[in-house]
Amino acid sequence: MVEITGTTRLYGILADPIHHVKTPQMLNAFMAQEGIDGVTVPMHVGADDLAALMAGLKHMKNLGGLIVTVPHKTAVLDLCDEVTDSARRIGAVNTIRRTADGRLIGEMLDGKGFVGGLIAGGIAPEGRSAYLAGAGGAANAIAFALAQAGVSRLTIANRTRAKAEDLADRLKDAFPGLQVDIGSPDPSGHDIVVNATSLGLRDGDPLPLDADRLAPEQIVAEIIMQPEQTALLKAAAARGCRVHFGKPMLACQRELMAAFLELSAPAGTAE
Ligand code: ATR
């Protein structure tokens, strides 16, 4: 880790709960390796206090940026001064850059990171059918990225059906040729099954879908990183499915985050 001095820029990750986050380790290792004078710390904030914290952080002159995760990705969109077109379309933000004049610019990289991780794991979504559990911030990003990557059709299943319907409508607007359906907890009949809910993060969470309906030819992918082996992935493996862990999504996002946050070392200092 870099030595923290008076010139070090601060990056934070906003989450609740926060014990499970992996971004500080990942970004701190990256910054140390690249010779970047920055540090990433956990910032534990509840939903009710998010707006007040964001309003305060805006004034922090040595804040470089923020990473945002559960449950704040949707709420934080309206707390940024500006968001990218893709974040606006998705309706969520997970990476925020603070400009020199104190503006907070939001972008959403979850979906691009997830699809990049799938492809790096040898699973190309193009031409395959996909089932997506969830319609929150991460699920929105992943749905758009899967559509962009050329899935043959996409089924969305969510506890709150209206959110799935809203996501399906926006997807159909953006990708008029894509078949988008609202699904049930039954994921059968799809090549790739993705859990993009937060279920699996906490001990004793129910499964996000009916795992008894999984068949060996299906690939089951997870966005939960901690625990690595969620109850869903264990059930999927027990049914003979190929599983894809949550971690590659973050590894792939590292490059995307570094570029968006404009993390770079002063000339001549990188090793
Ligand atoms: P994130 O930004 O990580 O996507 P989020 O926007 O709060 O977080 O979305 C959480 C997702 O997990 C949603 O799809 C949510 O379902 P609802 O839209 O019905 O809230 C889903 N989720 C969370 N807890 C759940 C539970 N106990 N049962 C079913 N789905 C749940």
Side-chain angles (χ1 to χ4, degrees):
M1 193 157 146
V2 293
E3 185 189 11
I4 297 173
T5 68
T7 62
T8 305
R9 287 176 76 71
L10 187 69
Y11 298 82
I13 172 160
L14 306 176
D16 184 29
I18 200 149
H19 66 274
H20 62 286
V21 295
K22 296 281 179 240
T23 310
Q25 299 90 308
M26 178 198 75
L27 281 182
N28 287 326
F30 175 78
M31 291 194 277
Q33 179 196 320
E34 299 293 317
I36 294 164
D37 188 10
V39 62
T40 306
V41 297
M43 296 180 174
H44 190 181
V45 59
D48 291 347
D49 298 317
L50 181 68
L53 180 67
M54 288 286 288
L57 285 172
K58 223 174 116 91
H59 300 288
M60 193 171 174
K61 293 187 201 302
N62 60 351
L63 182 80
L66 298 164
I67 306 299
V68 185
T69 189
V70 180
H72 304 312
K73 289 177 198 169
T74 305
V76 87
L77 183 106
D78 291 329
L79 302 174
C80 293
D81 296 304
E82 195 182 307
V83 298
T84 62
D85 287 345
S86 73
R88 172 77 55 205
R89 212 166 56 147
I90 292 162
V93 157
N94 84 327
T95 307
I96 298 171
R97 177 174 69 235
R98 183 183 179 279
T99 61
D101 59 353
R103 291 171 57 74
L104 300 177
I105 320 275
E107 163 68 307
M108 183 55 166
L109 299 170
D110 274 351
K112 292 169 197 163
F114 176 79
V115 167
L118 267 187
I119 292 170
I123 304 162
E126 191 175 356
R128 287 170 143 152
S129 57
Y131 170 98
L132 183 69
N140 267 263
I142 288 169
F144 276 89
L146 285 172
Q148 187 74 45
V151 289
S152 59
R153 65 187 171 91
L154 183 60
T155 300
I156 303 161
N158 192 49
R159 172 179 62 177
T160 309
R161 188 183 167 96
K163 282 168 68 180
E165 286 169 349
D166 177 63
L167 170 56
D169 288 345
R170 284 180 290 113
L171 271 173
K172 285 183 212 162
D173 279 348
F175 299 92
L178 179 65
Q179 182 186 334
V180 184
D181 298 301
I182 305 300
S184 71
D186 176 1
S188 56
H190 298 82
D191 300 320
I192 303 175
V193 174
V194 183
N195 174 37
T197 74
S198 50
L199 292 177
L201 207 51
R202 295 178 176 84
D203 274 352
D205 275 349
L207 291 178
L209 49 87
D210 184 357
D212 291 341
R213 304 286 301 172
L214 291 169
E217 63 274 13
Q218 290 178 295
I219 296 165
V220 178
E222 182 63 273
I223 64 161
I224 306 284
M225 282 168 243
Q226 176 71 22
E228 187 171 50
Q229 282 282 2
T230 59
L232 173 65
L233 291 185
K234 284 183 196 159
R239 294 192 62 83
C241 301
R242 175 171 174 187
V243 301
H244 179 78
F245 293 110
K247 246 188 190 162
M249 171 174 161
L250 183 62
C252 186
Q253 277 200 77
R254 190 184 75 171
E255 308 299 321
L256 299 168
M257 285 175 178
F260 185 76
L261 293 172
E262 297 175 350
L263 297 182
S264 58
T269 59
E271 286 172 7

